[in-house]
Amino acid sequence: MANASGFLTPSIRIHKSVSIGGHNNNNLKNGLVIRCSSSFQGVENLSPSESRIPRLVSKGCKLVGCGSAVPKLQISNDDLAKIVDTNDEWISARTGIRNRRILSGDESLTGLAADAARKALEMAEVEPDDVDLILLCTSTPEDLFGGAPQIQKALGCKGNPLAFDITAACSGFILGLVSASCYIRGGGFKNVLVIGADSLSRYIDWTDRGTCILFGDAAGAVLVQACDVEEDGLFGFDMHSDGEGNRHLNAAMKESETDHDLGTNGSARGFPPNRSSFSCIKMNGTEVFRFAVGIVPQTIEASLANAGLTRLDIDWLLLHQANQRIIDGVATRLEVPKDRVISNLANYGNTSAASIPLALDEAVRSGKVKQGQTIAAAGFGAGLTWGSAILRWG
């Protein structure tokens, strides 16, 4: 029944009801009556909790904790000017970025992700042993087979909860958030950790001023928890991908030209294969900018429609922190005032899947985002992928 543009197709409606005198109705379960309808007439007369697109679920989910972690090493625009032809004014005017954090020394992405997860659990007052699932949203794991199990190990989860990676670049956290809701609604999970963590600095050509100025490393996490459907805090979503756009932003696999460690047995041409690695990030900035400014307002509008809400219901706009001009452009198109836009891009740069939870954590801990407020969040990037979700904090 669910699709990539919301929780149910528009042909299903659910009305709250109660059992009367022990009457047995096969459509009645947990106080919900399922009725088919081809329209949403009368939505304007429903309460806010009933006016959203209904769902065939008996459980809701809500965000109850957040956390983040960044590397110690800070690299300023002036630092970059020492290794590439650029300067602070040029970078800040075009991107809004002034500093970024880079992994160094004995720091690791797994360590950052685990730190962010611990902080989210502490805020939610949930023990690691009570976690049912860990979703690590990353495109830069420190193991080819994924990094989530190592976070499970670092947290000391004794119950061996399932832990796996989700790869969707800068859209990864939104995909992880929606995935967590599906595990809770359809799978009976109670506590799901969603972690966005990336170290794109490892895949940067530091001689290319078009890309090296943009990216930083970080981790952010939220705990998504099951709740009664009346308390549900994830109202609607919209997600897409377009492989045709891969040519504009990618870090493709490449084979080494020669591999002296491997010989040939003469039985087949090109065997054994050369070892592979990934190229540095390649991006057509103009095309990515055009894509983001055009598609992000559309996906947010779609999520709002799926949630049965409007722009006026949004307390905060929280976009993937890629470029301040993109953030400003989307806010203008959605007519969201600047004082309702969350941005920490200047301090961290583009941290890929970590950017949304990192910005959310800072906004929550600073008191900017308050419990019960509604956030429109959207991610976009390599793939090309994009998606959005309308959610309530707390």
Side-chain angles (χ1 to χ4, degrees):
M1 305 294 292
N3 56 46
S5 297
F7 291 103
L8 282 182
T9 56
S11 60
I12 302 294
R13 289 197 67 178
I14 299 178
H15 295 270
K16 289 186 178 180
S17 183
V18 294
S19 177
I20 301 176
H23 176 67
N24 183 17
N25 187 328
N26 290 332
N27 285 333
L28 183 60
K29 185 177 182 181
N30 295 323
L32 298 177
V33 174
I34 303 170
R35 296 177 183 169
C36 293
S37 172
S38 60
S39 66
F40 294 103
Q41 296 177 359
V43 169
E44 65 277 5
N45 297 321
L46 299 176
S47 68
S49 63
E50 293 175 316
S51 64
R52 306 182 191 106
I53 286 185
R55 318 171 181 91
L56 288 177
V57 293
S58 59
K59 280 291 183 182
C61 62
K62 58 183 179 180
L63 279 66
V64 295
C66 59
S68 61
V70 297
K72 298 176 183 177
L73 179 61
Q74 177 173 284
I75 300 297
S76 68
N77 291 345
D78 290 333
D79 292 327
L80 288 179
K82 297 175 183 178
I83 63 173
V84 68
D85 182 18
T86 190
N87 57 67
D88 176 69
E89 182 180 0
W90 191 89
I91 297 172
S92 59
R94 286 163 176 78
T95 69
I97 302 169
R98 294 191 177 277
N99 296 287
R100 70 282 296 147
R101 300 295 184 97
I102 303 296
L103 282 172
S104 63
D106 59 357
E107 293 177 318
S108 69
L109 186 66
T110 300
L112 287 184
D115 286 347
R118 288 190 193 97
K119 293 173 182 176
L121 290 174
E122 289 171 1
M123 179 183 289
E125 298 182 346
V126 171
E127 295 297 323
D129 289 345
D130 293 326
V131 173
D132 303 308
L133 175 64
I134 299 172
L135 302 176
L136 174 61
C137 309
T138 184
S139 298
T140 56
E142 292 170 325
D143 189 299
L144 176 64
F145 302 121
Q150 292 304 306
I151 297 173
Q152 177 217 70
K153 174 185 175 183
L155 294 176
C157 303
K158 297 178 182 178
N160 296 327
L162 175 64
F164 64 90
D165 290 15
I166 292 177
T167 302
C170 303
S171 305
F173 180 76
I174 294 295
L175 178 55
L177 196 63
V178 174
S179 297
S181 75
C182 292
Y183 275 97
I184 290 173
R185 299 174 196 279
F189 288 67
K190 184 177 181 180
N191 292 303
V192 180
L193 265 174
V194 182
I195 306 166
D198 268 309
S199 54
L200 292 181
S201 65
R202 294 167 171 169
Y203 298 91
I204 293 298
D205 178 357
W206 291 98
T207 67
D208 176 14
R209 75 170 186 172
T211 57
C212 75
I213 63 174
L214 299 175
F215 299 100
D217 306 332
V222 298
L223 184 73
V224 185
Q225 189 173 75
C227 64
D228 292 336
V229 68
E230 292 81 6
E231 301 174 353
D232 186 29
L234 184 56
F235 305 143
F237 66 87
D238 177 73
M239 300 186 297
H240 301 274
S241 61
D242 179 10
E244 290 291 339
N246 174 260
R247 65 188 185 276
H248 299 312
L249 179 55
N250 63 77
M253 188 176 73
K254 64 177 182 179
E255 291 186 354
S256 58
E257 295 182 2
T258 59
D259 195 329
H260 300 294
D261 294 332
L262 293 175
T264 178
N265 60 12
S267 61
R269 184 176 181 180
F271 179 83
N274 292 331
R275 290 196 179 101
S276 297
S277 61
F278 290 97
S279 67
C280 292
I281 295 174
K282 300 183 184 302
M283 182 178 69
N284 182 328
T286 300
E287 289 298 325
V288 172
F289 180 90
R290 184 180 295 118
F291 150 74
V293 173
I295 207 69
V296 174
Q298 293 180 28
T299 185
I300 291 177
E301 292 280 16
S303 286
L304 284 169
N306 290 329
L309 302 174
T310 71
R311 301 176 189 179
L312 298 178
D313 296 306
I314 299 174
D315 294 304
W316 296 102
L317 179 64
L318 173 54
L319 306 182
H320 163 52
Q321 306 288 291
N323 183 305
Q324 191 61 47
R325 291 198 299 170
I326 292 176
I327 296 172
D328 293 342
V330 171
T332 297
R333 292 197 180 192
L334 291 174
E335 299 179 348
V336 176
K338 288 186 178 181
D339 60 358
R340 288 168 51 197
V341 178
I342 298 172
S343 176
N344 65 354
L345 177 71
N347 298 323
Y348 303 108
N350 181 342
T351 57
S352 191
S355 75
I356 292 176
L358 171 62
L360 174 64
D361 182 51
E362 288 197 342
V364 169
R365 292 179 186 273
S366 69
K368 177 180 289 187
V369 171
K370 296 176 173 56
Q371 187 166 344
Q373 291 188 320
T374 300
I375 302 168
F380 51 91
L384 293 171
T385 59
W386 64 97
S388 61
I390 310 301
L391 54 98
R392 179 174 58 221
W393 171 250

